[in-house]
Amino acid sequence: MSIKRHGSIQTGAGGAKLPFARAVEADGWLYVSGQVAMVNGLVVEGGIVPQTHQAIQNLVAILKEAGYRTEDVVRVGVWLDDPRDFGAFNAIYAEYFGSNPPARACVQSSMMIDCKVEIDCVAYRRQGV
């Protein structure tokens, strides 16, 4: 089995080096680390709507970088800071995953940085196809 790490040298808020890969690929499986609404080390302002768009766009960018599509996503994990944001989050999430919805878990959680949402995923693509 071969393992490929995508984006293992990265920085987070305040330029701190992060000790994990953006994604790890093994035998057709891609595990994408949790993505928040961060651009150039800064969290996007404006609440759940712009943060959800940015977090999902960050996730999709990693999928594309590794050669995967949203249709390849089999599971998504979502952490919301405020459960009252669930409806707004779902509306935006459906724009990206509505036609090919993966399995999903969504929980309320205190975040490690000052953000409203974090999203990770697992994708699968048959190798050699």
Side-chain angles (χ1 to χ4, degrees):
M1 170 170 56
S2 66
I3 296 176
K4 181 177 181 181
R5 296 179 195 325
H6 298 271
S8 57
I9 300 173
Q10 59 181 334
T11 57
K17 292 191 189 261
L18 301 176
F20 55 87
R22 290 173 54 193
V24 176
E25 186 175 1
D27 286 343
W29 292 95
L30 183 72
Y31 297 85
V32 179
S33 294
Q35 298 299 303
V36 297
M38 193 172 284
V39 176
N40 299 323
L42 298 173
V43 175
V44 171
E45 295 183 14
I48 191 64
V49 171
Q51 286 197 17
T52 299
H53 279 292
Q54 188 62 57
I56 293 174
Q57 288 167 7
N58 291 349
L59 188 92
V60 170
I62 295 168
L63 289 168
K64 287 182 181 178
E65 174 187 313
Y68 290 74
R69 306 164 302 153
T70 56
E71 294 85 357
D72 299 322
V73 175
V74 295
R75 185 193 181 281
V76 172
V78 178
W79 294 264
L80 293 175
D81 181 59
D82 186 339
R84 294 173 293 187
D85 290 335
F86 186 69
F89 170 82
N90 269 340
I92 296 160
Y93 179 89
E95 293 176 24
Y96 295 90
F97 293 103
S99 58
N100 295 290
R104 187 182 92 183
C106 184
V107 298
Q108 177 188 9
S109 178
S110 296
M111 302 298 178
M112 300 308 294
I113 62 170
D114 189 18
C115 66
K116 300 284 186 189
V117 61
E118 183 169 347
I119 306 168
D120 73 1
C121 76
V122 177
Y124 177 77
R125 181 187 52 166
R126 178 185 273 170
Q127 297 195 332
V129 177

